[in-house]
Amino acid sequence: MPKNWLSALARYVFILTVALIAYAAVLLLAGKNPILAYIDTFDFTLSSWYGFSEVIVRMTPLLFTAIAVALPSRAGLINVGGEGQLYLGAWLATWGAITFTNLPASVFIPFLVLLGFIGGGVWAALAGFLRAKGYVNETITTLLMNYIAPLVVGYFVYGSWRSREPGASAFPQTAAFVQEARMPRFFQTRIHLGFFLALLILFIYWFVLEKTKWGLKIKGIGGNPEAAKRMGIEVNFYLIAVMFVAGGIAGLAGMSEVTALHGRLRAGFSPGYGFVGFLISWLAGGRPLGILAMSFVLAIVFSSGSLLQITQGVPFAAINVLMAIILFIVLMKPNLRRLMS
Amino acid sequence: MTARDKARPLVSLRKITKRFSTVLANDSVDLDLYPGEVHALLGENGAGKSTLMKILYGFYTADSGSISLDGEKIQLNSPLDARKHRIGMVFQTFTLVPAMTAAENIALYLPDLSPVLDNEKILSHLDSLAQRYQLQFNLNLAVRDLPLGDQQKVEVLKLLTAKARVLIFDEATRVLAPHEIEGLFNIFESLKKDGYAIVFITHKMREVLQCADKVSVLRRGRLVETIDCSQATESTLVKMMFGDVEPPKLEIRDKRAEKEKDVLLELKGAGTAPTAVGTQLSQIDLKLKKGEIVGIVGVSGNGQRELVDAILGFLPLTEGSKFIRSRDATSWTPKKIRSGGIGFIPEEPLQMGVVPWMNLVENTALGDLETYALYGGFGLDWPGVAAKVEESFQTLNFEPLDPHRPVRSLSGGQLQRVVLARELGRDPQVLIASYPTRGLDVHSAAATFGVFAQLRDRGGAVLLISEDLDDLFKFSDRLIVLYQGKIAGTFAPQEIDRHKIGHLMTGSQIEAAEGGG
Ligand SMILES: Nc1ncnc2c1ncn2[C@@H]1O[C@H](COP(=O)(O)OP(=O)(O)O)[C@@H](O)[C@H]1O
Ligand SMILES: [Mg+2]
C-alpha cells in the first residue's frame, strides 16, 4: 500500500513539474518572465497566512465540483455539467435568501444549504433521468445544460431580481442578502463554512463508496451495468440518484460562493469552477485524498491567475493554458517507470 | 486432379509455436493439408485449434515455425496476405452485415470489385457457383432474414468467389441444426471433388467420423497425432483428446429423484412487445416443476434471451402471466424475483454476470447485498461473505480460488464456477442457466452439470438454455423447442429424434424420406 502511495505522489509531482516547465515556456514566448511569475505566485499564496487562507477560499468550490464529477464517474457516468449545476444551486439558494428574509440564521443557513443542493441536484437529475430512460447520453446533456444555467441566472438578475439599491443596480446582480442568510466565516479570513462542509462531504463520499452497500452497488454499476442489472440492482434508480446527489454537491459550490463570499447573486459569478472540478477529478482518479491535494494545487493556479494579471500583466485566461497543459499530460498517462529506465 | 497432386501437400505448417502471455496456445505443431481432403482439427476447448488456423489465415503471426504453400515458404502477416494466397476462413461467429443482402455481402468481399457494380454479372456468377456446390438459397434476401444454415452458405460462397483453395471452417456446426449440418457435409463432398483443401475445426468426435478424411488431434497446444479417419473410432479419438485423464462421466439422468408435482415457475400464455432488435415472444406456456431439468432447444436468436429476461423481470409481459411458486409474479421487479428464489447463470459470465475488476468476494456480496449489509447498509459483513464463498465452493466440490483476485483474471471455467457458487449459495429453487457450458473445457462442463443435478435432486428445478443438442438430450427431463419466439413443441428426450427436433428448430419441412438418427 505505501508503495502505491509513493508512486501516486511521484506521478503528481512529475505531472506538475512538466506542466510548470511547459507553462514557463508559454510565458517566455509571451515575453513575460516565468521565474518572476512563479516567485510572485509563491509570495502571494503560500508564504503568508492570508495568502494561504485565500487559497483555501478558492479551493472550496473546487472540492465540491470535483466530488460532483468523481461520484458519478464511479457509477460509469460522465458529469461535465458541474458548472451548470453550480449556477442552479446558487440560483435556488438565492431565491430562498431573498424570499424568506426574516428567518433566524440557525434555520436559514441549513435551509439555504438544502435549497442549493436541490437546485443543482434537480438540474443534474434531469440528465440522469434522460440517460436512465435511454434517451440521451448524460455527457452530452450535462455539457449542453452548462450553457443554459448561466442564462437562467441571467434572466433573473437582469430582470425581476435585479437590485434596486443605489450604486449596486448598475450591475446585473441581486440585492445583498440579509446577514442571517450569510454563511459564517472563520479566523478573521474569508474561509467560510462551505470549506468544512466540503471536507465533510469528501469524507462521506469516501465512506459511502468504500464502506457501504450503496457504494458497492454504485461501483458495481460502474464496473458492469449489465451484470448489476442482472443481480437485481435498480440500475436506473441509481443513475438518477447519483446524478441528483452529484448535482446537489455542485450546487453547494454555487450556494456557498454566493452566500458566504458575494452576499448576492451576480451574473457570471463563476470563473469556471465546474470545469476545473472535472480536471481535478480526472487528475485525482476519483480518489478522495487526490481530490483534496489537486484542489489545493489548482486553487493556487487559480489564485495566480488574478494575481499575475496585476503584477506581471499576464491575462487571466493564461491559466487556461496551464490547465490545458496539465490535462494533456494526464491524458497521455505518463508511465513513470518506463520514463525512468 | 492427378495422383501426384494428392501426394504433395498444398499447405504445410512446420513447428508452429504461439504463446499468449502465460498460455502456450500452440507448441511446435506440424500439419499438412492436401487438396481434395477434409482435414478435421479435433480437441477440447482451449486446445489451440482456432489459434493454429488463425495463424494460417494471417490473423496471428506465429512466434516461430514456418508455413509453405505448394512447397514454397510463404510469409503471412495479415488476412489480406492469406487471401492473396487463396486461403479463406469462416469464423466461429459469422462476419456478415445483417442488413445487406447475401449478394451484397459477397460482393463486398470480392478482391476485384469494379467501381461501378455489375449486379447481373455478380449474381449470375454466384448462381453458377451455388449450383455447382449445392449452395442454393435466395441471394437477394437480407442476411438477417436467412436461417443460420444459409448464412453459412453465404460465408462459403464468399470464399469461393474470392477464389480460395484452402477453406477453414472454425466450429462451423456450432449454430446449425442437424439437417443443416448434413447439408454442410454434402457441400464438403462436392468441394472435395474439385480439389479444395478443407479444414474442419470441431470438438465433436461424431462429426469428425462423419465427414473427415484425416483428423489431427490437439491437446493443450500440442499435436497428439494425425491419423486417417478410416482407422479412427470414437474411443481412439477420446484417448487422443484427453490422454490418460478420462473425461468425467457426464451421464446423470439415472440418479434423478422422484418427481414431485409442485410447479415452481409457470408462464401462462406469456408474450412480449414487438421489438426492433430482438425476438417477440408470444403464447409461451411453460411449467417448471420441482426436481426437473427442462431444456430449451433452439437456434440462438429465437427468443431465448427474451424468455430469460421475461422470467427474470427485465422484459415486461404484454400478455399472459407469470407465477413463481403459485404466486402471481407478472409485475414483480427483478429484485423481487431474485429474492423469490430464482438464480441465474448468464450466457456471458464476464459480460453479464460479474464486475470484472472486482474480486470474488466483492462480486459475491454484490449478488446478495441485503444479506450481507450491516447497520442498515452502512457497513458490509466481509468476513461473512468470505465464509459463504468458501462454504459454497466446498458444497459444490469446486477447487478453492484466491478470493482477492479480480475475477477478470480467471479462466472461463473458473469464472463460471464463481457465478455458479454465488447463485447456488443463495439456495435458489429455480436456476435459469443460459448456455452454461459455452467455452468451457469438459471438466468444467461436467462440474456444471453435476451442480444442476445436485439442485434437481434436492427438489429444485433448472431451466437449461443451450445450443448443444448432445447436452440437452443427455441432461433434460423435458425438451421445449423455441422457434421465432413461440414454442414449437414439448417432448421427453426419448420420444423424439434429433432430426425431428432439428426441423422444428429451423421451421423447415421434414422431408418424406427421413433417415432418422
Ligand atoms: N488473443 C488471445 N489472447 C490470450 N490468450 C488467448 C488468445 N486466443 C487464445 N488464447 C488462449 O490460447 C488457448 C487456445 O485457444 P484457442 O486456440 O481459441 O482454443 P480452441 O479453438 O481449441 O478452443 C486458450 O487457452 C486461450 O485462452
Ligand atoms: Mg476455437
Side-chain angles (χ1 to χ4, degrees), chain B residues 367-420:
Chain B
D368 204 3
L369 278 173
E370 305 316 317
T371 310
Y372 301 116
L374 296 178
Y375 325 113
F378 284 96
L380 284 162
D381 177 16
W382 291 115
V385 187
K388 182 74 195 180
V389 169
E390 210 184 307
E391 184 202 311
S392 314
F393 268 69
Q394 231 164 38
T395 348
L396 295 174
N397 261 328
F398 290 164
E399 228 167 89
L401 293 170
D402 177 358
H404 298 294
R405 225 169 77 183
V407 295
R408 84 174 146 225
S409 69
L410 301 175
S411 77
Q414 291 171 326
L415 200 60
Q416 186 68 281
R417 279 170 210 184
V418 170
V419 177
L420 275 171

Side-chain angles (χ1 to χ4, degrees), chain B residues 464-481:
Chain B
L464 169 65
I465 293 130
S466 173
E467 55 199 1
D468 190 319
L469 274 183
D470 292 341
D471 286 349
L472 283 165
F473 267 86
K474 225 187 271 178
F475 301 119
S476 309
D477 303 309
R478 224 148 31 93
L479 293 172
I480 293 178
V481 184

Side-chain angles (χ1 to χ4, degrees), chain A residues 1-305:
Chain A
M1 212 52 188
K3 204 153 184 204
N4 262 341
W5 229 91
L6 265 177
S7 78
L9 190 70
R11 217 176 123 246
Y12 288 138
V13 171
F14 173 80
I15 290 170
L16 286 175
T17 315
V18 174
L20 287 180
I21 293 171
Y23 187 56
V26 173
L27 289 176
L28 268 179
L29 280 177
K32 313 289 176 192
N33 184 340
I35 309 275
L36 280 183
Y38 288 161
I39 289 176
D40 276 356
T41 303
F42 180 78
D43 277 351
F44 283 89
T45 56
L46 299 182
S47 72
S48 70
W49 165 234
Y50 171 75
F52 182 78
S53 77
E54 279 302 296
V55 172
I56 296 293
V57 172
R58 284 279 188 188
M59 183 179 167
T60 304
L62 299 182
L63 275 173
F64 282 121
T65 53
I67 302 169
V69 177
L71 172 66
S73 78
R74 304 303 285 271
L77 293 167
I78 299 176
N79 177 19
V80 252
E83 186 75 359
Q85 291 145 20
L86 174 148
Y87 269 98
L88 262 284
W91 173 79
L92 196 62
T94 300
W95 170 76
I98 60 177
T99 309
F100 306 94
T101 45
N102 42 19
L103 290 173
S106 58
V107 181
F108 216 161
I109 299 299
F111 176 59
L112 294 184
V113 168
L114 185 72
L115 285 181
F117 194 91
I118 292 175
V122 170
W123 192 247
L126 218 60
F129 174 79
L130 291 173
R131 159 68 192 266
K133 281 282 168 193
Y135 297 140
V136 207
N137 181 287
E138 82 286 353
T139 315
I140 295 168
T141 41
T142 53
L143 179 70
L144 294 181
M145 284 166 83
N146 281 337
Y147 296 95
I148 305 173
L151 298 178
V152 172
V153 168
Y155 177 81
F156 283 87
V157 298
Y158 280 100
S160 54
W161 288 2
R162 189 160 183 162
S163 160
R164 290 187 180 76
E165 303 151 302
S169 63
F171 303 100
Q173 59 188 9
T174 65
F177 300 163
V178 296
Q179 199 52 42
E180 287 76 19
R182 306 285 304 263
M183 279 227 253
R185 301 181 184 179
F186 301 97
F187 321 122
Q188 276 111 45
T189 64
R190 298 205 305 156
I191 295 176
H192 55 83
L193 187 64
F195 177 65
F196 301 101
L197 191 60
L199 290 183
L200 177 68
I201 286 180
L202 188 65
F203 173 78
I204 296 175
Y205 162 73
W206 168 82
F207 181 80
V208 167
L209 276 166
E210 300 309 323
K211 300 289 170 199
T212 69
K213 76 169 183 188
W214 305 289
L216 193 64
K217 285 189 187 183
I218 288 170
K219 290 187 286 184
I221 293 170
N224 189 347
E226 197 61 35
K229 192 176 102 182
R230 276 156 209 288
M231 283 185 268
I233 294 170
E234 313 84 333
V235 174
N236 287 344
F237 167 78
Y238 273 87
L239 292 184
I240 300 172
V242 161
M243 281 306 281
F244 175 77
V245 173
I249 294 171
L252 292 183
M255 176 270 166
S256 59
E257 283 292 290
V258 296
T259 61
L261 296 183
H262 309 307
R264 55 175 91 227
L265 180 63
R266 293 196 170 110
F269 71 89
S270 164
Y273 290 132
F275 299 111
V276 182
F278 190 82
L279 177 61
I280 292 168
S281 171
W282 254 90
L283 284 168
R287 281 180 292 269
L289 284 179
I291 290 177
L292 197 64
M294 285 297 121
S295 298
F296 184 71
V297 172
L298 268 286
I300 295 174
V301 171
F302 239 105
S303 310
S304 83

Side-chain angles (χ1 to χ4, degrees), chain B residues 76 90 113 271 286 402:
Chain B
L76 298 172
V90 178
L113 194 59
L286 181 148
D402 177 358

Side-chain angles (χ1 to χ4, degrees), chain B residues 138-156:
Chain B
N138 188 347
L139 283 163
N140 292 314
L141 275 184
V143 160
R144 63 162 173 251
D145 297 329
L146 291 174
L148 285 166
D150 288 352
Q151 293 190 20
Q152 182 122 46
K153 290 179 187 166
V154 180
E155 292 279 6
V156 178

